[in-house]
């Protein structure tokens, strides 16, 4: 299939590359000319601007926008809306607030355009591992673009089969889900990222306790000088707390047991706050997720080993660099 990709940052460029490897025809556009040249060298078709990108796609067109949530994505969506034709589709693969998706979807429908919101998880590793996709939008349009989603997803071999799933949507077992109408995809991704905050915080606090088991404030007979890199490594093998986040933690500790290069300032990209907003609207208690978010706020004033570990995990899965590391 043909697909336009707007935005060639950490994830957009690899999304384009993975689709090219799967045999799809990808037209790319970015304000960074070097990024466009690199994508062209990998087999993409370059474009000078959005108008040029649209002109190089055959109807019914589909354009995947992979830009930071907020004004830049909003502006790009509406610029595309003026260039595309009825029957074409705009896909937002970033971390947009789900209520904005509902608003956009309704407005674009009046223009005869389709809109899909695709929560995309996979970070900088998606090129090789694939992307977990959570999709919101019209059922028929999701079906039409199935070859795109199937190519981006990790595939059935990414995890063992779950007993008792007979008769359910098989796309889910390949790593992509049609969650519901506009907004549902990003809503599910928002909660995914809120949970991620809690999981990361649990690992970070646990390793902080392990690190301080040798504290001078403890009686000498109660002190342990524990090998953190080895603990992370052994937990990866058969432990009930094993996960990809633990894999990244083990890698970071193997390279730097003290994580001294990480300042301990931890940013939040918005999804954690939106998750708590949803919890408040639904009157659902979310003690762990709220504490994890507040810990990130505190990290900007007081830094601990736990915060250094959070920074290391963020860099590991998403290539995130905290402001004080830039």
């Amino acid at each position: 299939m043909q697909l336009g990709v707007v935005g060639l940052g950490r994830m957009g460029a690899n999304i384009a590359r993975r689709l090219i490897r799967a045999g799809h025809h990808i037209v790319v556009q970015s304000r960074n000319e070097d990024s466009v040249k690199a994508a062209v060298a990998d087999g993409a078709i370059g474009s000078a601007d959005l108008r040029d990108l649209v002109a190089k796609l055959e109807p019914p067109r589909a354009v995947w926008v992979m830009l930071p949530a907020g004004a830049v994505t909003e502006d790009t969506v509406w610029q595309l809306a003026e260039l595309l034709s009825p029957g074409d589709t705009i896909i937002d693969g970033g971390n947009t607030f789900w209520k904005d998706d509902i608003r956009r979807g309704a407005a674009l429908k009046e223009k005869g355009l389709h809109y899909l919101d695709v929560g995309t998880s996979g970070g900088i590793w998606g090129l090789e591992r694939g992307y977990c996709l959570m999709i919101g939008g019209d059922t028929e349009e999701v079906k039409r673009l199935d070859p795109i989603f199937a190519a981006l997803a990790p595939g059935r071999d990414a995890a063992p089969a779950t007993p008792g799933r007979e008769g359910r949507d098989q796309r889910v077992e390949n790593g992509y889900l049609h969650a519901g109408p506009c907004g549902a995809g990003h809503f599910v991704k928002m909660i995914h990222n809120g949970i991620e905050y809690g999981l990361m915080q649990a690992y970070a606090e646990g390793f902080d306790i392990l690190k301080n088991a040798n504290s001078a404030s403890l009686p000498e007979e109660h002190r342990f000088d524990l090998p953190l890199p080895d603990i992370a490594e052994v937990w990866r093998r058969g432990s009930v707390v094993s996960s990809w986040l633990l894999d990244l933690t083990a890698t970071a500790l193997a390279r730097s047991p003290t994580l001294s290069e990480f300042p301990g300032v931890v940013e939040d990209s918005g999804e954690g706050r939106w998750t708590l907003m949803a919890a408040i609207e639904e009157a659902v208690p979310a003690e762990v997720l709220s504490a994890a978010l507040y810990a990130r706020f505190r990290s900007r004033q007081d830094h601990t080993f736990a915060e250094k570990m959070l920074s290391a995990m963020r860099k590991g899965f998403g290539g995130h660099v905290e402001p004080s590391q830039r």
Side-chain angles (χ1 to χ4, degrees):
M1 294 186 72
Q2 273 197 332
L3 181 75
V5 176
V6 179
L8 298 173
R10 287 190 300 264
M11 290 181 69
N14 281 344
I15 283 173
R17 291 188 181 99
R18 187 170 174 88
L19 290 170
I20 290 166
R21 289 181 181 182
H24 295 285
H25 300 280
I26 307 302
V27 182
V28 298
Q29 196 275 325
S30 172
R31 284 184 282 188
N32 186 322
E33 293 183 6
D34 290 338
S35 296
V36 173
K37 291 177 182 177
V40 169
D42 289 328
I45 301 167
S47 60
D49 52 31
L50 293 180
R51 184 178 297 278
D52 187 31
L53 177 137
V54 169
K56 289 177 176 176
L57 294 170
E58 298 177 3
R61 306 171 186 86
V63 181
W64 185 300
V65 178
M66 202 66 187
L67 295 168
V72 63
T73 293
E74 186 79 12
D75 290 346
T76 301
V77 167
W78 294 115
Q79 287 179 52
L80 285 168
E82 294 302 316
L83 297 168
L84 293 170
S85 303
D88 293 346
T89 301
I90 297 174
I91 303 167
D92 181 359
N95 284 323
T96 288
F97 184 44
W98 61 277
K99 291 183 180 179
D100 289 334
D101 292 313
I102 294 174
R103 169 179 54 79
R104 287 181 196 158
L108 291 170
K109 186 175 182 179
E110 293 181 359
K111 294 176 174 288
L113 298 171
H114 301 287
Y115 179 81
L116 302 181
D117 53 288
V118 180
T120 308
S121 181
I124 58 177
W125 300 90
L127 176 61
E128 303 300 335
R129 290 171 58 104
Y131 299 91
C132 175
L133 304 174
M134 296 142 269
I135 309 163
D138 177 72
T139 298
E140 291 306 312
E141 197 58 18
V142 174
K143 288 181 179 177
R144 185 179 79 83
L145 293 170
D146 186 81
I148 295 294
F149 302 133
L152 288 174
R156 194 175 295 269
D157 294 338
T162 300
R165 277 199 54 85
E166 294 79 7
R168 301 191 66 86
D169 188 348
Q170 294 186 355
R171 294 174 296 180
V172 174
E173 295 173 37
N174 285 309
Y176 61 111
L177 163 72
H178 182 206
C182 283
H186 278 148
F187 187 90
V188 174
K189 177 58 161 51
M190 173 186 75
I191 303 305
H192 165 283
N193 284 23
I195 292 170
E196 180 183 285
Y197 279 37
L199 293 173
M200 292 172 68
Q201 188 66 29
Y203 282 125
E205 291 178 8
F207 276 93
D208 204 0
I209 296 169
L210 292 170
K211 176 180 180 294
N212 285 286
N214 199 31
S215 171
S217 64
L218 296 171
E220 187 171 354
E221 66 272 20
H222 292 172
R223 298 177 198 169
F224 301 107
D225 186 11
L226 298 169
L228 301 192
D230 293 342
I231 292 171
E233 188 63 29
V234 77
W235 281 356
R236 295 179 60 221
R237 304 170 188 280
S239 164
V240 296
V241 299
S242 59
S243 71
W244 185 31
L245 285 173
L246 183 60
D247 294 345
L248 297 171
T249 299
T251 299
L253 287 170
R255 290 172 177 167
S256 175
T258 64
L259 302 179
S260 58
E261 69 271 35
F262 295 96
V265 175
V266 187
E267 291 296 308
D268 67 285
S269 52
E271 296 89 344
R273 302 187 191 206
W274 298 340
T275 296
L276 295 188
M277 288 166 56
I280 291 168
E281 289 178 353
E282 299 169 13
V284 172
E287 296 95 333
V288 171
L289 306 191
S290 59
L293 177 63
Y294 296 148
R296 295 194 179 199
F297 294 165
R298 191 208 61 237
S299 76
R300 296 157 207 174
Q301 302 170 2
D302 179 33
H303 319 315
T304 66
F305 184 77
E307 273 80 54
K308 291 177 183 290
M309 181 157 288
L310 288 175
S311 292
M313 281 187 273
R314 291 185 85 235
K315 185 175 182 181
F317 68 74
H320 301 291
V321 178
E322 315 296 354
S324 51
Q325 291 178 274
R326 294 171 186 159

